[in-house]
Amino acid sequence: MSSNAAEYQFLNKVFDDLFPICRSISGPGLEQSIAYFSQFMPLTMTKVASGTEVFDWTVPPEWHFQRARLWGPDGKLICDSQVSNLHVVNYSEPIEAEMTLEQLQPHLHSIPHLADAIPYVTSYYHRTWGFCLSQQQRERLTAGVYKVKIDSHFDEQGGVPYAQTLLAGESEREILLSSYLCHPSLANNELSGPLVLLGLYRRMQQWPRRRFSYRFLLNPETIGSLCFLSQHHQHLQQHLEAGLILTCLGGPATNLRYKASKRGNSLFDRYIGKLAATGDWRMESFTPLYGSDERQYCAPGFNLPMGQVAKTVYGVFPQYHNSLDDKAFMDMGSVIDSIDQLEQLLLSTEISGKALNLKPYGEPQLGKRGLYPNINTPINRHTSSDQLLDGRQELNAILTVLSESDGKTFMLDIADKLKLPLASLRGVIEKLEQHQLIRFNTGKTL
């Protein structure tokens, strides 16, 4: 089996195991999902207690949900969370009652323009209950007495968890890769991000070297990132080089879309800006009006260099936040393509920062290092070594990188000066590092 086929099969099984679990921003389903990922990533879970003041938020009670059912006047089951856990309003309070259709209607949710879709509805911070059903189902409801039963309870002694692990590199400067894990039975909008996070971890674990350290984080959206920030924002202020929130990374779109950090000058902001200019990526400026956890990281009190990456973007596909966002729509091949693109981005980002020439007094002697022709004749004036004929391109790159590596200039800008893609300089940079002629700045790049 090829590595691509094995990866596809592996992620396919992860999806199938996780999709049926009823997740929320707290509770057994979320912790079960974190435990599942911990089989493949050495995650450390932290739980912030219910009632804790987290900046302007209060950590809610933990939701424990068993089952929700709605019966019609004829005794037939209309909604059952064991058929789809989208049938219940997430964080519903418990109820067992009988009521008329008129009394029931305010607690029903459907999407009029999507007749066969079950919507995803939440009420985390206001106690209520409800059922979600397709518009077709709703229109078939008739007058009479309905029976509702939601088995759930709230644990005031519970909490909101997040989980993280670190792949250590040569530098204490960190790249943060984060995704949310809180939506039940949604594919592109929920599981694509964690699947890409896991795929990247498994690949990057095998890299022969990592210049940066990489922190991987799973948390429930918004409150989970705020819980993480409440305990780690000082560490991030000191060590975070740049970061990405991973979301909506499946679906039919091809190019990745990057939402920049509020700062607009992180390594990702700068490099992806170049890629977007060539049409390889899509890019937009930061906005607090929509998005995911990047809104918390980029809030004024933190202003951390966190961007967001998506493919088939939230809010613009009709399957968003409803039961039509399934495995067929997400497509595992599209998820793996996102892993491929992001791995290449991270490999290039590793060499996009500021390097320092370690032999800055005159040109270093390249010949004794096998980086310059040892015999200089009119015949080999256009060769970069005694064996390699490439119009001196590699030698010109070596000389330019050495000349410009003053510890202040981004390698990305040096590549521009050479009119070369940054990725094409990787071999040159690795040779210069191998010969201890340059090193990347391991302090704050920005």
Side-chain angles (χ1 to χ4, degrees):
M1 182 183 297
S2 70
S3 59
N4 284 348
E7 183 176 48
Y8 186 100
Q9 188 178 71
F10 168 73
L11 293 177
N12 211 45
K13 184 179 187 306
V14 172
F15 178 94
D16 290 343
D17 290 344
L18 289 171
F19 191 75
I21 298 174
C22 187
R23 282 174 292 277
S24 187
I25 60 172
S26 70
L30 174 57
E31 294 185 34
Q32 179 187 351
S33 299
I34 291 173
Y36 184 93
F37 275 99
S38 296
Q39 300 175 86
F40 314 112
M41 308 166 68
L43 293 170
T44 299
M45 190 181 86
T46 302
K47 198 167 182 178
V48 179
S50 298
T52 303
E53 298 297 321
V54 178
F55 307 113
D56 196 45
W57 295 63
T58 302
V59 177
E62 188 172 296
W63 188 51
H64 289 247
F65 171 72
Q66 287 78 46
R67 191 175 183 183
R69 284 169 287 177
L70 170 64
W71 292 269
D74 57 1
K76 290 184 178 179
L77 202 55
I78 298 169
C79 294
D80 185 354
S81 61
Q82 289 190 351
V83 175
S84 171
N85 54 43
L86 296 181
H87 272 312
V88 66
V89 170
N90 203 280
Y91 248 67
S92 278
E93 61 187 350
I95 185 173
E96 184 171 5
E98 293 184 351
M99 62 190 66
T100 65
L101 179 58
E102 184 180 12
Q103 293 170 317
L104 178 63
Q105 285 287 11
H107 295 277
L108 298 182
H109 304 270
S110 60
I111 307 173
H113 65 280
L114 293 174
D116 57 347
I118 304 168
Y120 166 56
V121 180
T122 68
S123 184
Y124 301 134
Y125 301 100
H126 171 70
R127 290 287 176 89
T128 189
W129 61 271
F131 289 89
C132 304
L133 68 170
S134 72
Q135 185 67 19
Q136 289 177 341
Q137 286 179 295
R138 191 169 188 174
E139 290 173 354
R140 288 196 296 264
L141 300 180
T142 59
V145 177
Y146 289 75
K147 180 181 177 182
V148 301
K149 186 175 183 182
I150 297 177
D151 295 313
S152 66
H153 71 274
F154 295 96
D155 183 1
E156 301 287 347
Q157 305 304 312
V160 166
Y162 63 84
Q164 60 178 317
T165 190
L166 184 73
L167 274 179
E170 297 168 5
S171 168
E172 292 184 352
R173 299 296 293 165
E174 292 184 9
I175 302 289
L176 173 60
L177 302 173
S178 177
S179 192
Y180 53 82
L181 188 62
C182 53
H183 298 52
S185 298
L186 298 175
N188 182 50
N189 187 56
E190 162 72 355
L191 286 178
S192 68
L195 287 175
V196 168
L197 190 80
L198 175 59
L200 286 171
Y201 178 85
R202 285 162 58 87
R203 290 192 188 184
M204 294 164 66
Q205 194 179 29
Q206 305 303 316
W207 285 4
R209 66 180 296 194
R210 292 180 292 271
R211 294 174 179 83
F212 292 112
S213 294
Y214 290 85
R215 188 171 300 276
F216 295 77
L217 174 67
L218 283 170
N219 58 258
E221 196 170 17
T222 304
I223 188 63
S225 61
L226 289 169
C227 286
F228 173 73
L229 281 164
S230 72
Q231 299 183 340
H232 296 279
H233 70 93
Q234 291 179 332
H235 174 87
L236 295 177
Q237 294 286 6
Q238 295 175 4
H239 297 283
L240 185 64
E241 185 68 33
L244 294 173
I245 306 297
L246 308 179
T247 180
C248 295
L249 286 163
T254 52
N255 287 5
L256 296 178
R257 194 288 315 263
Y258 177 67
K259 177 183 174 184
S261 74
K262 188 177 180 182
R263 289 185 184 187
N265 65 348
S266 76
L267 289 183
F268 290 133
D269 296 332
R270 293 175 60 87
Y271 182 43
I272 298 175
K274 302 284 188 184
L275 296 175
T278 65
D280 292 336
W281 280 61
R282 295 170 286 152
M283 185 171 178
E284 66 176 45
S285 300
F286 174 81
T287 174
L289 302 184
Y290 51 82
S292 185
D293 287 334
E294 75 284 350
R295 296 178 299 171
Q296 313 311 321
Y297 290 93
C298 294
F302 307 124
N303 197 20
L304 291 163
M306 290 289 292
Q308 182 222 88
V309 63
K311 181 182 281 185
T312 303
V313 181
Y314 46 85
V316 300
F317 58 96
Q319 297 85 350
Y320 178 66
H321 273 195
N322 65 69
S323 58
L324 302 182
D325 183 5
D326 57 13
K327 188 179 186 179
F329 171 71
M330 182 190 72
D331 183 62
M332 198 60 66
S334 182
V335 169
I336 291 176
D337 176 69
S338 293
I339 297 171
D340 292 339
Q341 292 187 59
L342 284 167
E343 183 181 24
Q344 291 307 310
L345 171 74
L346 294 170
L347 284 168
S348 292
T349 301
E350 287 237 318
I351 58 170
S352 68
K354 300 171 182 177
L356 183 67
N357 186 334
L358 300 179
K359 303 286 185 181
Y361 300 104
E363 292 182 357
Q365 188 176 2
L366 300 178
K368 67 181 182 181
R369 297 175 171 91
L371 300 176
Y372 196 90
N374 290 317
I375 301 175
N376 191 2
T377 74
I379 296 174
N380 70 2
R381 285 182 58 138
H382 300 294
T383 64
S384 58
S385 74
D386 292 338
Q387 293 82 30
L388 183 62
L389 179 67
D390 64 3
R392 283 180 57 106
Q393 187 177 62
E394 183 180 72
L395 179 57
N396 289 347
I398 288 172
L399 294 171
T400 302
V401 167
L402 287 170
S403 177
E404 298 293 329
S405 292
D406 55 6
K408 301 175 184 178
T409 304
F410 286 95
M411 193 63 68
L412 184 59
D413 296 328
I414 298 174
D416 281 350
K417 180 167 285 193
L418 285 162
K419 295 182 173 57
L420 292 173
L422 176 63
S424 70
L425 288 182
R426 186 177 299 129
V428 165
I429 290 166
E430 289 174 350
K431 285 181 180 180
L432 294 176
E433 288 179 314
Q434 178 184 349
H435 290 286
Q436 298 182 347
L437 291 174
I438 64 169
R439 66 169 171 79
F440 280 88
N441 187 355
T442 55
K444 283 194 175 184
T445 298
L446 298 175

